[in-house]
């Protein structure tokens, strides 16, 4: 049998107050200032993370630009440091800030992460919001409108993943603006176009100033981030029920009691996030616990102690027996699955889903 759990212990580790999204807090004087400015004091952890980046990565990046020829090892060390320490934390900070701004809406400081910090982590200025909030959540992984949709791929195939990654890396520059036009979001299209042009102009100017530093600080991180972002999204949406591909309960899964949740704003609760995208990140575990019977009734997947990258790795390497050991049976016993039933259901959710009709693809609008 897969792991059995009760409502009292299924995600108890995720419900405590410990957070690991940052390395160290900002000085008390700054903290007190921002506590009087932000909407929700729980979001101070996001500002801690941004402060950490500002006092470590940014001075390092500036130093390389001021050097006539920054050493290769210095550049590699910078990339490795940012990727290992900050990449995951920053992406999820940007993610949840995009859904629920730190400062009151309209405050320019909400743009700091998206427009100033994001390029350091391989994401063009301003584009994450358009890609994730405007497109991905609105279209809910449904092809062809969600251009990062996984549904038409054989999702345990490495070849199919390479196609998926290449499509994002080389075509997203055109597909995302075209999506905004197709959905008649002309105002957002104009903003995206300005942001993209500004980003490319900046890269070109910096290349002329110091090509090596531009590679270390912006270009190499873009290719690393494209791989991380796409394998992350691929893994989050690797299990898509062909019969219910437009149902949030059947196009992703939840991860509970994982250290991953402590450094990613409870991002493991991905079904919850798709069902309730406006729900604050701190409330995701509680919502899951209060609605476990609903998740069980919907036949949704729940895993424990792993993370999305591990789930994707197990699927892509055919280790479903091992992954099934992390599966958690929740809710009434009539909905529980044996280990073999879990594996069979996993396999059924790898199958490519045919492109839906225009009526189905447009149902969210």
């Amino acid at each position: 049998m897969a792991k059995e759990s009760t409502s009292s212990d299924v995600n108890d580790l995720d419900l405590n107050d410990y957070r690991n999204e940052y390395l160290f807090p900002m000085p008390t004087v700054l903290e007190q200032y921002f506590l009087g400015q932000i909407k929700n004091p729980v979001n101070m952890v996001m500002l801690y993370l941004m402060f950490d980046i500002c006092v470590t990565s940014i001075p390092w990046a500036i130093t390389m630009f001021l050097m006539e020829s920054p050493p290769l090892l210095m550049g590699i060390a910078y990339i490795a440091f940012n990727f290992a320490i900050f990449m995951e934390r920053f992406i999820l900070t940007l993610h949840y800030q995009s859904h629920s701004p730190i400062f009151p809406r309209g405050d320019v400081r909400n743009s700091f992460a998206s427009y100033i910090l994001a390029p350091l982590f391989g994401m063009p200025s301003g584009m994450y919001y358009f890609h994730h909030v405007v497109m991905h959540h609105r279209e809910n992984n449904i092809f062809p409108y969600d251009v990062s949709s996984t549904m038409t791929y054989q999702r345990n195939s490495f070849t199919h993943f390479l196609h998926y990654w290449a499509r994002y890396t080389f075509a997203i520059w055109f597909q995302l603006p075209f999506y905004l036009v197709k959905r008649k979001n002309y105002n957002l299209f104009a903003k995206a176009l300005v942001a993209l042009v500004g980003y490319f102009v900046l890269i070109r100017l910096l290349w002329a100033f110091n090509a090596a530093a531009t590679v270390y600080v912006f270009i190499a991180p873009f290719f690393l981030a494209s791989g991380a972002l796409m394998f992350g999204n691929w893994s989050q949406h690797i299990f898509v029920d062909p019969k219910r591909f437009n149902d949030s309960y059947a196009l992703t899964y939840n991860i509970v009691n994982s250290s991953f949740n402590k450094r990613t704003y409870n991002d493991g609760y991905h079904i919850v996030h798709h069902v309730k995208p406006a729900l604050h990140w701190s409330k995701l575990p509680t919502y899951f616990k209060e609605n476990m019977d609903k998740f069980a009734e919907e036949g949704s997947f729940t895993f424990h102690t792993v993370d999305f990258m591990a789930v994707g790795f197990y699927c892509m390497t055919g280790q479903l027996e091992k992954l099934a050991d992390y599966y958690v049976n929740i809710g009434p016993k009539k909905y529980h699955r044996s280990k073999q039933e879990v594996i069979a259901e996993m396999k059924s959710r790898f199958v490519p889903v045919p492109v839906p009709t225009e009526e189905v693809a447009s149902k969210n609008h």
Side-chain angles (χ1 to χ4, degrees), residues 132-287:
H132 183 78
V133 179
V134 176
M135 182 194 69
H136 177 62
H137 273 278
R138 187 170 298 178
E139 307 303 341
N140 213 26
N141 198 54
I142 297 177
F143 187 84
Y145 285 110
D146 185 346
V147 299
S148 62
S149 171
T150 62
M151 60 179 280
T152 58
Y153 293 94
Q154 179 67 36
R155 289 172 298 281
N156 60 343
S157 165
F158 183 69
T159 302
H160 279 227
F161 171 71
L162 286 180
H163 180 276
Y164 179 76
W165 167 80
R167 182 183 177 191
Y168 168 84
T169 303
F170 301 108
I172 194 62
W173 315 98
F174 314 103
Q175 288 186 321
L176 185 55
F178 178 70
Y179 161 79
L180 295 173
V181 171
K182 196 171 184 179
R183 283 305 197 194
K184 300 181 180 180
N185 288 320
Y186 302 122
N187 184 44
L188 294 182
F189 166 73
K191 290 181 179 179
L193 190 61
V194 170
L196 277 176
V197 170
Y199 172 77
F200 281 116
V201 169
L202 174 65
I203 298 301
R204 179 65 185 88
L205 291 174
L206 290 175
W207 178 272
F209 179 73
N210 191 321
T214 304
V215 170
Y216 299 145
V217 177
F218 294 105
I219 298 176
F222 168 76
F223 286 99
L224 286 172
S226 69
L229 286 165
M230 288 302 97
F231 192 70
N233 196 68
W234 177 272
S235 299
Q236 288 174 335
H237 297 282
I238 202 164
F239 297 120
V240 180
D241 187 336
K243 298 176 182 177
R244 297 190 297 151
F245 60 86
N246 56 353
D247 185 340
S248 292
Y249 290 94
L251 55 79
T252 185
Y253 52 93
N254 289 317
I255 294 175
V256 301
N257 273 6
S258 174
S259 60
F260 167 77
N261 286 328
K262 290 301 182 181
R263 64 179 185 270
T264 61
Y265 308 94
N266 297 314
D267 194 51
Y269 293 88
H270 210 63
I271 294 178
V272 180
H273 182 56
H274 270 262
V275 172
K276 296 283 186 180
L279 187 65
H280 192 267
W281 61 267
S282 63
K283 298 178 180 178
L284 298 176
T286 301
Y287 182 92

Side-chain angles (χ1 to χ4, degrees), residues 28 49 51 80 89 125 138 157 193 202 273 279 309 328 357:
T28 303
L49 187 278
F51 175 80
R89 290 180 168 98
S125 294
R138 187 170 298 178
S157 165
L193 190 61
L202 174 65
H273 182 56
L279 187 65
M309 296 301 194
V328 184
T357 63

